[in-house]
């Protein structure tokens, strides 16, 4: 399986348009010991020809252009992108879907609850359904392995299992709508398998338990929630009055402790918020992450499994 990390930041990117935290100020000034990052976007392929996007970021157009394996080649209208797997309905996970509206046949995988929010509650989604063979929605049922299929329905060689991780829908979903939805379908992690090798993709993780740790120890690569360093990061940087936990993200400092015995996989943090000190390679927090055997993803990283 080929894995391309097209973007590695949390929603807003780094720097974020309205943020003057010390990280964002320093990187704009050119005095920061680290790199800019676009919003999280990962693409995977089992055969090097059909590619699947894990969520669809608002930065998708630029991310596709920066990555030749996603460029059209074979026809005036063509794309190697066969489909999109959605792990939730947050804006930074789904806005890119609307950028893929040019009548391109696509397989979209989502839980029934996420599909209802995006397709049924949103008149803009009509742009994805102008012709019958445009976007095809496939229901994800958690804890079952399903194959990812190419745009024409062929076998991609990748099997996917969805793990329910959080039960909170995005704040834009109205409470009376939430009552009709299934809480375990709100936020997923994915285990993607190809040729006996496994990628675990978990950008939003509120907490970990022993059974999740055991599942992840059996993976070859983990792309894991690296949103915040500690629970009070947004409060300390005056960016928000909410804790990481309240926003559904286990802090990196706690993840390092919880994963102390998970040694087998390559472990990489993604979805890194612009306030997070691990973006600054001169800081002790970055050193702590590296010393614990983790990596901090950068845009443009390519992995082969
Ligand atoms: Zn910032």
């Amino acid at each position: 399986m080929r894995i391309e990390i097209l973007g590695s930041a949390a929603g807003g990117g780094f720097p974020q348009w309205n943020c003057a935290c010390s990280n964002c100020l320093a990187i704009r000034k050119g005095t920061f010991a680290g790199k800019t990052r676009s919003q999280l976007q990962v693409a995977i392929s089992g055969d090097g020809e059909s590619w699947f996007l894990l969520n669809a970021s608002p930065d998708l157009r630029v991310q596709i252009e920066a990555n030749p394996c996603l460029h059209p080649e074979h026809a005036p209208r063509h794309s190697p992108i066969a489909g999109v797997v959605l792990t939730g309905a947050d804006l930074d996970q789904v806005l890119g879907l609307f950028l893929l509206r040019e009548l391109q046949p696509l397989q979209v995988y989502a839980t029934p609850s996420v599909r209802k929010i995006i397709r049924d509650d949103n008149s803009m989604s009509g742009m994805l359904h102008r012709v019958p063979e445009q976007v095809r929605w496939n229901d994800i049922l958690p804890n079952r392995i399903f194959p990812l299929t190419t745009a024409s329905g062929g076998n991609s060689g990748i099997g996917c299992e969805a793990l329910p991780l959080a039960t909170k829908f995005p704040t834009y979903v109205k409470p009376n709508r939430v009552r009709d939805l299934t809480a375990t379908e709100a936020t997923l992690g994915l285990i993607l398998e190809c040729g006996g090798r496994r990628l675990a993709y978990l950008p939003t993780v509120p907490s970990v338990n022993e059974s999740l740790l055991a599942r992840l120890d059996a993976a070859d690569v983990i792309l894991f929630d690296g949103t915040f360093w500690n629970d009070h990061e947004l409060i300390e940087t005056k960016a928000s009055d909410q804790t990481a936990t309240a926003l559904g993200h286990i802090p990196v400092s706690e993840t390092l402790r919880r994963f102390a015995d998970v040694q087998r996989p390559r472990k990489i943090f993604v979805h890194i918020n612009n306030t997070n000190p691990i973006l600054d390679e001169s800081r002790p927090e970055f050193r702590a992450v590296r010393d614990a055997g983790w990596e901090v993803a950068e845009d443009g990283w390519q992995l082969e499994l």
Side-chain angles (χ1 to χ4, degrees), residues 14-16 19-24 274-275:
F14 178 52
Q16 176 176 310
C19 190
C21 73
S22 59
N23 283 354
C24 287
N274 57 80
T275 52

Side-chain angles (χ1 to χ4, degrees), residues 60-75:
L60 194 53
R61 194 197 74 83
V62 173
Q63 292 167 331
I64 289 171
E65 287 307 316
N67 197 313
C69 63
L70 300 179
H71 291 175
E73 268 181 349
H74 303 307

Side-chain angles (χ1 to χ4, degrees), residues 22 29 55 123 132 160 207 276:
S22 59
K29 263 194 244 158
N55 294 319
S123 59
C160 181
S207 61
N276 193 328

Side-chain angles (χ1 to χ4, degrees), residues 65-121:
E65 287 307 316
N67 197 313
C69 63
L70 300 179
H71 291 175
E73 268 181 349
H74 303 307
R77 284 286 191 275
H78 162 264
S79 173
I81 298 171
V84 183
V85 187
L86 298 176
T87 65
D90 280 329
L91 287 190
D92 59 320
Q93 296 170 322
V94 303
L95 280 178
L97 201 54
F98 297 96
L99 308 179
L100 302 176
R101 68 188 183 279
E102 285 92 358
L103 301 174
Q104 186 70 35
L106 284 174
Q107 305 278 0
V108 175
Y109 298 85
T111 61
S113 294
V114 167
R115 168 176 47 79
K116 286 173 193 168
I117 296 167
I118 298 166
R119 190 187 71 181
D120 302 351
D121 295 355

